[in-house]
Amino acid sequence: MDELNLVQAVNRALARAMADDPRVVVLGEDVGRDGGVFRATDGLFARFGEDRVIDTPLAELAIAGVAVGMAAQGLRPVAEIQFTGFIYPTIDQLVNHASRLRTRTRGRLACPMVLRSPSGGGIHAPEHHSESPEAMLAHIPGLRVVIPSSPRRAYGLLLAAISDPDPVVFLEPTRLYRAVREPVADDGEALPLDRCFVLREGRDLTFVTWGAMVLETMAAAERLAGRGVEATVIDLATLHPLDHETIVESVRGTGRCVIVHEAPLSGGWGAEVAARLAEHALTALLAPVVRVAGYDTVMPLPRLEAHYMPGVERVLAAAERVLEFA
Amino acid sequence: MTTTTYREAVRTALREALTRDSRTFLMGEDVGRYGGTYACSKGLIDEFGPERVRDAPLSESAFVGAGIGAAMAGMRPIVEIMTVNFSLLALDQIVNNAATLRHMSGGQFSVPLVIRMATGAGRQVAAQHSHSLECWYAHIPGIRVLAPGTLEDARGMLWTALQDPDPVVIFEHAALYNMEGELPDTAGPVDIERAAVRRPGRDVTLIAFGANLHKAMEAARLLAAEKIEAEVIDLRSLRPLDDATIMASVRKTRRAVVIDEAWRTGSLAAEVSARVMEQAFYDLDAPVGRVCTEEVPIPYPKHLEDAALPQPEKIVAAVKAQLGARA
């Protein structure tokens, strides 16, 4: 079994989906001859040809619109937006068309498209290349939002997203692209959407996180274990629809929850998780739910980036706060 | 006192801004000759001329971008986007340029721009004209977000917003334009920092903004008939949020219901709920309730649209659920 990093796993999943299903096409800026800005589509053009691996003009609105049309007419398009900073021109297409084609046509048309985009900071990129806008996308009824946090989950969740009958936004944490390797079997097996992954089980505290922050959170859980505090770590994986049963069940057991995300605090997805806990698990809580998040500022340039991103120390400090409550 | 409407209050505010500051101009689709889709700028083109009341082509990205450029170059533009639904096409300009240029230029440029847009449902204009996406804007660092829910605020927030050196987005709920009321002849600029307690009460805090403030007030009246005294808070500023006013009320009443016309999941109501839990955890006697819009494209038929939106009866039911709960 090959050891792959996350971007290689994405590449492997795309190749597998294209080989297994002739309806799958890939489109985006530089995805063809160039192989993609992060090499996610490397080799696909040579293998599947220009009809199925389509270089588009620099026009995100058009990329999304073409994908909506392709999907409505029976193809399985996988569109790439080079960075989430450039995802905003696609939003009208996603909100007003992709997410509601099924309801507007009473099921006559569906929109089985995937919009992939590298997301998040930590790679010393300039402005517009480091943001985490998942909360905005996850607010849209009818739009699934998936963020993998390991090569294996990237492979399995992307296959699931491509075969899903409805639109999926698939946000790939840029910082994880080459951060970790693990064995990934190219077996064509999808992983379940709409389910959290419990990465670690403990009785004292529940961490809820997703994307690149899974690394910091797992490291914090290890440090806590070193002093006898056992934490559960939940990777949301699918942000919308939210598998809140898994979260609520865990927090009912531990009584304490820390949510960790990279996007700015206010209006981030952590607010929704916290609100669900306020609604469904308030009486089980031994301490307030605490959010560790990016600051409410514009994403800073590289010199301050490490300060902006929640690190292990900030996660640990939040854990200390919720553990203090008797 | 003068009897007036929300629409007239907005128009008076626009007239004041155009009169007091020669750098100010109004730009948007149909704001000039047609007088505005909601008639907010009716007559202003005759008073101020087509240079200062500018009709824009149907291209939100282009005219919001032009407004950003004008603001950077020293003007004080007011850009009207017909409704929040169409602001999706200008989102790239707002998020990537307006909100970030001060930061990106190391403080060399600021963007003193005001964007006004209508928001909300309730008028049977169906799935693509009825969104409430205030929560999106309230998530964006670098902009201020306001929601005038009263005549005083419709009249007074604009001038204060224009004095802000950074971009401000003002949401006018379309169901409010015909709202009538009394406005003092001395009405003028108001603060844009603080939430307001619109009705004092001791049993539960209702937190709302925009048109839903009035549904919360109606719910409070219904509850009062059953001897339940609700305190009603009008958020007014959606970003930044005035935590102090919210927490002072919740610490007193020990219960909170947040009303937000957005789809529930990922709404601003979630942010308010999360903050109440973070900051007033030990004061809460019941889970924080949210009354939001059903997670569907807003339906066209009136009975279905009514069913999808927050209503006073739903707020009353949420409050009663709170009072039945014991922490």
Side-chain angles (χ1 to χ4, degrees):
Chain A
M1 205 184 299
D2 290 349
E3 294 239 328
L4 304 181
N5 63 31
L6 197 147
V7 73
Q8 290 167 329
V10 166
N11 181 272
R12 201 64 69 94
L14 288 170
R16 181 74 189 212
M18 294 186 80
D20 288 353
D21 186 344
R23 298 172 302 173
V24 177
V25 295
V26 166
L27 68 157
E29 294 156 7
D30 292 333
V31 299
R33 283 175 182 80
D34 183 67
V37 63
F38 286 103
R39 320 307 307 157
T41 54
D42 198 21
L44 299 180
F45 183 84
R47 184 168 165 199
F48 297 102
E50 62 183 5
D51 287 342
R52 295 185 66 197
V53 184
I54 302 162
D55 278 318
T56 65
L58 205 103
E60 287 82 5
L61 193 155
I63 294 169
V66 166
V68 170
M70 286 173 156
Q73 295 304 316
L75 293 173
R76 296 272 167 162
V78 183
E80 177 178 304
I81 301 298
Q82 280 194 341
F83 289 89
T84 43
F86 312 143
I87 215 165
Y88 301 104
T90 72
I91 284 197
D92 184 52
Q93 291 292 334
L94 296 176
V95 174
N96 280 326
H97 299 291
S99 71
R100 59 182 58 181
L101 210 53
R102 181 182 290 284
T103 50
R104 276 175 69 204
T105 63
R106 298 189 178 188
R108 197 169 60 81
L109 297 176
C111 193
M113 64 178 277
V114 176
L115 192 88
R116 294 179 40 249
S117 189
S119 187
I123 58 159
H124 305 305
E127 54 274 332
H128 305 160
H129 294 67
S130 300
E131 289 78 9
S132 300
E134 66 266 16
M136 296 171 79
L137 298 156
H139 178 54
I140 306 305
L143 204 60
R144 218 173 227 97
V145 177
V146 177
I147 305 184
S149 64
S150 75
R152 248 184 246 154
R153 283 189 288 282
Y155 178 86
L157 291 170
L158 182 53
L159 285 178
I162 293 171
S163 58
D164 192 86
D166 290 303
V168 179
V169 175
F170 195 83
L171 301 175
E172 297 157 9
T174 319
R175 189 159 60 92
L176 297 189
Y177 267 157
R178 293 177 173 83
V180 185
R181 283 179 178 275
E182 66 179 349
V184 179
D186 189 6
D187 53 9
E189 289 291 322
L191 286 169
L193 298 174
D194 307 347
R195 294 274 300 278
C196 299
F197 291 83
V198 179
L199 303 183
R200 190 178 198 293
E201 288 199 72
R203 62 178 187 277
D204 300 322
L205 165 69
T206 302
F207 285 113
V208 176
T209 188
W210 54 92
M213 283 298 132
V214 166
L215 289 190
E216 274 70 21
T217 308
M218 287 295 280
E222 291 300 324
R223 292 259 297 270
L224 288 169
R227 19 170 294 217
V229 175
E230 290 302 331
T232 292
V233 176
I234 296 178
D235 171 11
L236 289 187
T238 300
L239 274 69
H240 189 232
L242 181 63
D243 169 18
H244 81 246
E245 289 82 3
T246 301
I247 302 165
V248 167
E249 191 187 316
S250 171
V251 173
R252 284 214 176 106
T254 61
R256 301 170 207 271
C257 182
V258 172
I259 302 164
V260 186
H261 66 72
E262 194 180 313
L265 178 82
S266 292
W269 199 241
E272 179 60 33
V273 176
R276 300 262 184 130
L277 289 171
E279 285 157 0
H280 299 286
L282 187 74
T283 51
L285 284 170
L286 301 169
V289 174
V290 170
R291 294 178 288 166
V292 182
Y295 296 109
D296 278 329
T297 62
V298 174
M299 182 77 194
L301 288 167
R303 197 148 44 106
L304 289 174
E305 193 176 51
H307 181 67
Y308 172 91
M309 312 265 287
V312 175
E313 296 306 325
R314 277 174 66 193
V315 177
L316 283 172
E320 298 294 347
R321 271 178 61 202
V322 303
L323 289 165
E324 268 173 21
F325 290 83
Chain B
M1 298 292 265
T2 310
T3 302
T4 186
T5 62
Y6 188 95
R7 171 184 293 107
E8 185 60 42
V10 170
R11 190 185 305 139
T12 306
L14 289 168
R15 184 181 289 118
E16 175 191 32
L18 289 162
T19 304
R20 283 176 72 172
D21 191 340
S22 60
R23 298 170 301 174
T24 294
F25 65 96
L26 174 68
M27 176 165 57
E29 291 158 359
D30 289 335
V31 298
R33 281 174 188 78
Y34 185 70
T37 308
Y38 296 99
C40 289
S41 52
K42 200 164 190 176
L44 294 181
I45 192 171
D46 299 328
E47 287 177 60
F48 298 97
E51 288 285 305
R52 300 190 63 205
V53 182
R54 303 177 74 98
D55 279 319
L58 206 101
S59 179
E60 287 78 5
S61 182
F63 68 76
V64 172
I68 292 168
M72 288 169 73
M75 304 295 278
R76 292 289 184 275
I78 303 167
V79 171
E80 175 177 308
I81 299 178
M82 198 182 284
T83 83
V84 65
N85 307 275
F86 313 145
S87 77
L88 275 60
L89 291 158
L91 202 57
D92 183 49
Q93 287 292 347
I94 298 171
V95 175
N96 280 334
N97 288 334
T100 62
L101 274 162
R102 173 183 295 283
H103 168 85
M104 285 173 62
S105 68
Q108 292 179 79
F109 289 108
S110 60
V111 184
L113 166 73
V114 172
I115 300 174
R116 297 171 41 244
M117 42 183 138
T119 184
R123 296 160 302 118
Q124 280 196 273
V125 288
Q128 291 174 329
H129 293 73
S130 301
H131 291 306
S132 288
L133 293 167
E134 290 90 325
C135 62
W136 275 12
Y137 291 94
H139 182 48
I140 306 301
I143 59 177
R144 185 188 288 276
V145 182
L146 305 176
T150 62
L151 295 181
E152 289 79 6
D153 283 347
R155 169 69 185 83
M157 279 182 165
L158 180 67
W159 180 258
T160 318
L162 280 166
Q163 309 317 303
D164 196 290
D166 291 308
V168 180
V169 180
I170 301 179
F171 284 100
E172 297 162 7
H173 196 294
L176 290 178
Y177 284 125
N178 289 331
M179 181 174 75
E180 277 189 358
E182 299 274 306
L183 203 54
D185 298 326
T186 55
V190 295
D191 93 89
I192 55 171
E193 309 275 342
R194 304 295 304 274
V197 178
R198 298 293 186 199
R199 185 187 197 283
R202 61 172 187 274
D203 297 324
V204 62
T205 301
L206 305 179
I207 302 165
F209 61 92
N212 289 279
L213 167 64
H214 304 284
K215 292 182 177 177
M217 293 294 278
E218 174 59 19
R221 278 189 287 275
L222 295 171
L223 289 163
E226 300 185 44
K227 305 266 187 287
I228 299 165
E229 292 302 327
E231 182 145 303
V232 180
I233 290 184
D234 175 5
L235 287 179
R236 301 182 69 245
S237 170
L238 309 185
R239 182 184 181 88
L241 285 167
D242 174 11
D243 289 353
T245 300
I246 298 170
M247 299 318 152
S249 176
V250 174
R251 290 204 175 97
K252 182 176 69 176
T253 65
R254 308 177 79 87
R255 292 177 175 84
V257 174
V258 193
I259 301 105
D260 181 354
E261 203 176 298
W263 293 305
R264 177 190 184 86
T265 300
S267 57
L268 189 69
E271 177 62 33
V272 175
S273 168
R275 288 186 184 213
V276 169
M277 194 166 42
E278 282 161 357
Q279 298 176 38
F281 182 71
Y282 279 113
D283 298 300
L284 283 174
D285 277 352
V288 178
R290 287 190 283 171
V291 179
C292 301
T293 292
E294 299 299 325
E295 296 188 34
V296 294
I298 307 298
Y300 169 72
K302 181 152 188 355
H303 66 292
L304 291 179
E305 185 181 43
D306 286 348
L309 298 176
Q311 301 296 354
E313 297 72 25
K314 294 187 191 178
I315 301 168
V316 167
V319 168
K320 289 185 175 169
Q322 295 261 303
L323 293 167
R326 285 274 173 252

